[in-house]
Amino acid sequence: MTIDQILLFSLFGVVFALLIWGRWRYDLVAFVALVIALVLGLVPTELAFSGFGHPATIIIALVLVVSRGLVNSGAIDLITRKLAALDLKLSSHIAAMGGLSAVFSAFMNNVAALAMLMPVDLQASNKAKRSPRITLMPLAFATILGGLITLIGTPPNIIIASYREAALGAPFGMFDFAPVGLVCAIVGIVFITVVGWRLIPGSRDSKAPTVDLLDQEGYLAELLVPEESPAIGMLVRELDDIADENDAAVVGLVRNNKRLAGQARNAEIRAGDVLVVDAVAKSIDQFRGAMKLEFDGEKRHEKAASGGMGLMEFVVPRYARIEGRSAMSLRLLTRHGVTLLGVSRQGEKFRERVRKLDIQAGDILILLGPVDRVPEVAQWLGVLPLAERGLSVTQYRRAGLATGIFAAGIAAASFGWIYLAVALAIVVAAYVALDIVPIQEVYNHIEWPVIVLLGSMIPLGVALEESGGTGLIAGSIVNLTEGMPVVVVLTVLMVVIMTLSDVLNNTATAVIGAPIALDIANRLNVNPDTFLMVVAVAASCAFLTPIGHKNNTLIMGPGGYKFGDYWRMGLPLEILIIAVSIPSILFFWPL
């Protein structure tokens, strides 16, 4: 190996280790790696930020804005409301939600599709009195499978298409992924519906009516004792009966910013104390009213809230702004006028003050504040709504218009009349001009960490390819499978890429996997499209861990899943995808 190859492999090794560790955000890791590569001369200065102007980067940003426009117009909600009104049996519900999510994911970002459908699924679980853990994982996996169908369904497809354009002169078209993607999505959703959900730990314990997991676990919230509260002079343990009547439990007492030892059961309550309460959102509010308690910052909120107060629930995705930070460090109340009222972490108890608690991905938060402020702050924090918001800004009268504009743009790009990035840019411009996506919100709906990751990884991927590094990896795979049929080479490549995608971001996996696939195809003197399609499927199908795909992370808290729960349904699903995708790729993209 040359010095450049050794340095690049070492740099990628460190990047992979840090991404698997997960302590630092993936966009920061990738950007720092790019800076190091520039300092070492591994990436030419003139190509330093070429990744940020790459077609794949631009298209992904535009797709995210278009997705928001379809949501704002009510085009998506009109369909989901009809589904939510149906009283379906479990298997029928999983099949319907899986099919619908696959369709949504094919034409909008699959993370946005899950964010739209997760509240519907939670409401259905609550109505049927079953645990949401049975249906949330099938829903998340179905949204991932649906993204395989079109060019814009998932970032890896966009990256593979753009790489093909740079390497072979023409990109994949909008529906070139559809034949293989449809086979994988249909077979995968049938498996999830018939067998998959039964493999989820705890699913068979839910035959009898159960309470929603979120209701079982509740939130740890803090309530201030004002001078007029009847709780003053009472012992903490004397509140048990009143708390029980309101389905709440007093689990601690804070005085002078210090949590008293244990549950402070025998402490006498004073004005200015803070009671730590374990309950669901509705019960917290009921207990507050019964004892004339106050939310933190309530008086300040009431002065600022011209449209009333909002109490809303959100789930924390991986790499949200608030992940790893506390409400206090973000100065959530003082700067933004919103209170972090409670946190639910799969039933875990913690002694830290709510506002001082470092938030983790998968946590569920209750935010309190003016109804016109909470959604805006939630968007800034990077959290997603868990249930219906109190503030509705959906523009149902424009649903047909928004859908028509989007369909026209996709049709123009599909028939080759206009370049895809330009078509999507026109759609975005139309949405802004018609106020379907308000101009002040355009940048808020772009997932900037993904943009920074992709913009940083593309020059690194090019450097690895030009240094001959990807050739070494390709040569190793070819040598390992020497004398074996090409189908074995394809299978080994898919397993390698799938494994990487289960522990890394699928965008980064696609960036690295594309040149490896092309190099192997050239060495074997076969159709490169066959190998590029393998990478496209494998990079997206990450089902073994909650960190392999953002959708897996989003359901972790609401579904009450543990790290080791995913592989039980995910492993057989990945094996099934390999078994059906390889023959499908060879049929539709012959060697």
Side-chain angles (χ1 to χ4, degrees):
M1 287 195 295
T2 65
I3 296 298
D4 282 359
Q5 289 173 347
I6 293 172
L7 290 174
L8 279 167
F9 278 124
S10 300
L11 184 59
F12 272 102
V14 172
V15 169
F16 289 168
L18 291 175
L19 291 178
I20 294 171
W21 184 29
R23 182 65 179 85
W24 295 330
R25 283 172 46 150
Y26 57 73
D27 53 328
L28 176 62
V29 170
F31 188 76
V32 171
L34 174 61
V35 172
I36 293 173
L38 287 166
V39 172
L40 295 176
L42 302 174
V43 174
T45 304
E46 61 271 19
L47 298 178
F49 304 111
S50 59
F52 292 94
H54 195 277
T57 308
I58 303 300
I59 290 171
I60 289 171
L62 292 171
V63 166
L64 290 167
V65 180
V66 170
S67 296
R68 174 47 55 178
L70 292 173
V71 172
N72 285 356
S73 70
I76 306 298
D77 188 54
L78 287 173
I79 301 172
T80 57
R81 276 196 300 169
K82 292 181 180 179
L83 179 63
L86 299 177
D87 187 16
L88 299 175
K89 294 182 179 179
L90 180 57
S91 294
S92 299
H93 171 82
I94 292 174
M97 291 293 289
L100 186 62
S101 66
V103 173
F104 284 178
S105 295
F107 295 100
M108 63 189 295
N109 179 266
N110 50 20
V111 177
L114 178 63
M116 280 297 303
L117 290 171
M118 189 161 64
V120 178
D121 192 75
L122 288 169
Q123 289 170 10
S125 295
N126 188 46
K127 182 179 178 181
K129 296 183 178 179
R130 63 172 175 254
S131 168
R133 72 182 294 113
I134 307 171
T135 54
L136 279 181
M137 191 178 292
L139 175 63
F141 286 3
T143 57
I144 295 173
L145 290 168
L148 299 173
I149 298 172
T150 67
L151 172 61
I152 62 173
T154 184
N157 286 3
I158 298 172
I159 293 165
I160 296 298
S162 297
Y163 179 79
R164 187 184 190 277
E165 181 179 23
L168 303 178
F172 284 120
M174 174 64 66
F175 296 103
D176 284 347
F177 297 90
V180 176
L182 276 169
V183 170
C184 292
I186 292 171
V187 173
I189 291 172
V190 169
F191 167 79
I192 288 169
T193 302
V194 177
V195 178
W197 68 269
R198 303 174 193 273
L199 304 177
I200 301 170
S203 62
R204 295 184 180 275
D205 299 332
S206 304
K207 294 178 182 178
T210 58
V211 182
D212 192 305
L213 275 176
L214 299 179
D215 290 342
Q216 290 178 333
E217 294 173 0
Y219 298 88
L220 284 184
E222 295 179 353
L223 298 173
L224 178 67
V225 181
E227 293 182 355
E228 63 273 16
S229 172
I232 295 175
M234 297 176 64
L235 302 181
V236 172
R237 58 182 170 82
E238 292 175 346
L239 295 176
D240 287 351
D241 291 340
I242 301 174
D244 190 57
E245 289 174 5
N246 292 278
D247 295 322
V250 180
V251 296
L253 182 73
V254 177
R255 179 171 294 160
N256 298 325
N257 290 319
K258 292 183 180 180
R259 181 87 172 259
L260 300 189
Q263 296 182 353
R265 301 284 294 166
N266 296 313
E268 183 178 305
I269 300 171
R270 304 175 188 172
D273 285 349
V274 175
L275 295 174
V276 183
V277 179
D278 186 356
V280 297
K282 182 178 180 181
S283 298
I284 292 170
D285 193 43
Q286 289 174 343
F287 180 64
R288 160 184 162 271
M291 298 307 298
K292 297 183 179 178
L293 305 171
E294 293 180 0
F295 293 130
D296 185 22
E298 181 176 345
K299 291 183 177 178
R300 171 177 174 168
H301 291 321
E302 287 176 346
K303 292 178 181 178
S306 57
M309 298 283 288
L311 193 65
M312 306 176 195
E313 297 172 297
F314 300 88
V315 62
V316 180
R318 199 165 183 232
Y319 305 118
R321 185 190 299 270
I322 197 173
E323 185 191 5
R325 304 181 67 180
S326 66
M328 178 177 285
S329 68
L330 290 171
R331 301 179 71 179
L332 198 59
L333 178 58
T334 56
R335 282 188 178 178
H336 303 281
V338 169
T339 295
L340 173 60
L341 179 62
V343 179
S344 175
R345 185 175 295 166
Q346 301 182 39
E348 180 181 336
K349 307 302 179 187
F350 30 77
R351 289 190 55 79
E352 296 95 331
R353 297 290 305 275
V354 170
R355 65 173 181 265
K356 295 181 179 179
L357 182 69
D358 287 338
I359 302 302
Q360 298 178 7
D363 284 354
I364 306 166
L365 314 179
I366 306 180
L367 297 182
L368 170 74
V371 292
D372 57 349
R373 184 73 177 140
V374 174
E376 180 183 338
V377 174
Q379 196 172 79
W380 178 77
L381 292 173
V383 296
L384 297 173
L386 184 63
E388 294 293 333
R389 296 185 181 188
L391 179 67
S392 176
V393 293
T394 307
Q395 308 169 47
Y396 293 106
R397 59 188 175 83
R398 297 187 177 181
L401 180 61
T403 305
I405 293 171
F406 175 62
I410 294 301
S414 300
F415 287 110
W417 298 336
I418 192 170
Y419 185 51
L420 176 62
V422 177
L424 291 172
I426 293 172
V427 174
V428 169
Y431 282 1
V432 172
L434 295 169
D435 205 34
I436 294 173
V437 178
I439 191 168
Q440 65 270 22
E441 294 182 11
V442 170
Y443 296 112
N444 294 336
H445 299 302
I446 297 174
E447 201 170 340
W448 292 108
V450 172
I451 301 302
V452 173
L453 169 74
L454 189 54
S456 302
M457 289 298 296
I458 286 175
L460 290 172
V462 171
L464 187 65
E465 183 180 4
E466 292 184 349
S467 71
T470 56
L472 285 175
I473 298 173
S476 299
I477 294 176
V478 171
N479 292 334
L480 177 67
T481 56
E482 186 176 1
M484 299 181 184
V486 177
V487 66
V488 177
V489 183
L490 289 169
T491 303
V492 170
L493 177 63
M494 179 167 279
V495 170
V496 170
I497 299 300
M498 260 188 185
T499 303
L500 283 175
S501 192
D502 277 317
V503 294
L504 303 177
N505 182 281
N506 58 5
T507 306
T509 303
V511 170
I512 297 166
I516 295 174
L518 182 62
D519 203 297
I520 294 175
N522 290 336
R523 287 169 182 265
L524 297 176
N525 196 27
V526 295
N527 183 6
D529 290 340
T530 310
F531 283 80
L532 289 174
M533 278 291 167
V534 165
V535 175
V537 172
S540 292
C541 292
F543 304 117
L544 298 187
T545 69
I547 63 173
H549 195 285
K550 181 172 284 190
N551 284 10
N552 294 351
T553 307
L554 289 180
I555 61 169
M556 192 173 186
Y561 301 115
K562 297 179 181 178
F563 195 97
D565 290 343
Y566 289 79
W567 71 269
R568 296 172 184 269
M569 180 166 70
L571 180 58
L573 180 57
E574 286 195 2
I575 294 172
L576 182 63
I577 293 299
I578 294 171
V580 300
S581 64
I582 295 295
S584 299
I585 291 171
L586 288 171
F587 180 80
F588 293 109
W589 300 92
L591 296 167

